[in-house]
Amino acid sequence: MMSAVPSPELPALDDLEDAIRARGLGVGASELHGALCGWLAGGGADSPRWLAQVLADDALQAPEAGGALDRLRAASVAQMEDRDFGFELLIPGAEAPLVERSGALFDWCRGFLGGFGLAAGQAPALGEDSREALADLARLAAAVPQEEGDEEDEQALAEIEEFVRVAALLLHGDCAMAARHRRQLH
């Protein structure tokens, strides 16, 4: 059954890049979204101080309410929790060159791994599928985008994007959701 209320939309990539530049953060929009999603998937708290926690910099002030960074948090939390799998990756759209989209996807994976590690710790209790997904995300985070591509490369990127999306949700279910469920049982 579909939910009556769709998940909030992520802010536009350009709006988020502008907010990141205005704060002088050393990450791009895709990497920051990956880091936030990794933080949430690893069991990190949805907090007004999320930016400082995700970037491991206590000097960072909480994002302004309603701004692009705050909308990123709200949409990401809602999408990760969406039972209808409305979760999206914040990467450039199909109109962007393949090299830009694949680079942003690899940046997203690098951010995800950092945020996940901060929230979940060194040895999170993961099932076999989640361990494999995390290892695959690490391989993608180390990848380098190629300059040229054809239709086959476009198809491969679409499949990788879907894998990353599902892997993030799997890790969220294994860490954050399972931990919440265990707390409710006790």
Side-chain angles (χ1 to χ4, degrees), residues 10-35:
L10 294 166
L13 200 57
D14 290 341
D15 292 346
L16 191 56
E17 288 288 359
D18 290 346
I20 288 170
R21 258 190 309 281
R23 283 183 165 246
L25 304 177
V27 296
S30 295
E31 186 174 354
L32 181 60
H33 183 242

Side-chain angles (χ1 to χ4, degrees), residues 13-181:
L13 200 57
D14 290 341
D15 292 346
L16 191 56
E17 288 288 359
D18 290 346
I20 288 170
R21 258 190 309 281
R23 283 183 165 246
L25 304 177
V27 296
S30 295
E31 186 174 354
L32 181 60
H33 183 242
L36 173 57
C37 292
W39 171 261
L40 296 169
D46 171 21
S47 148
R49 300 269 310 135
W50 72 269
L51 190 61
Q53 294 168 319
V54 166
L55 295 180
D57 183 350
D58 289 336
L60 291 173
Q61 296 298 311
E64 64 189 52
L69 291 166
D70 186 52
R71 292 192 321 270
L72 176 70
R73 178 206 50 78
S76 299
V77 168
Q79 287 185 5
M80 296 282 298
E81 300 282 334
D82 184 355
R83 294 189 185 277
D84 294 328
F85 304 105
F87 176 64
E88 300 174 33
L89 307 178
L90 186 63
I91 56 176
E95 70 285 349
L98 181 67
V99 67
E100 187 180 325
R101 288 181 287 135
S102 58
L105 180 62
F106 302 152
D107 289 346
W108 194 98
C109 291
R110 272 189 292 282
F112 184 91
L113 291 174
F116 185 83
L118 285 170
Q122 287 190 343
L126 298 175
E128 184 178 339
D129 289 343
S130 288
R131 282 194 303 277
E132 287 178 20
L134 197 58
D136 289 340
L137 289 173
R139 281 190 281 283
L140 288 169
V144 176
Q146 61 187 41
E147 288 296 323
E148 299 296 320
D150 57 18
E151 190 58 40
E152 193 173 297
D153 293 321
E154 290 283 347
Q155 182 62 34
L157 183 62
E159 290 173 10
I160 293 169
E161 284 177 29
E162 182 61 14
F163 165 78
V164 169
R165 194 179 75 77
V166 171
L169 291 172
L170 175 67
L171 287 160
H172 181 257
D174 221 11
C175 282
M177 300 295 279
R180 252 186 264 147
H181 183 68

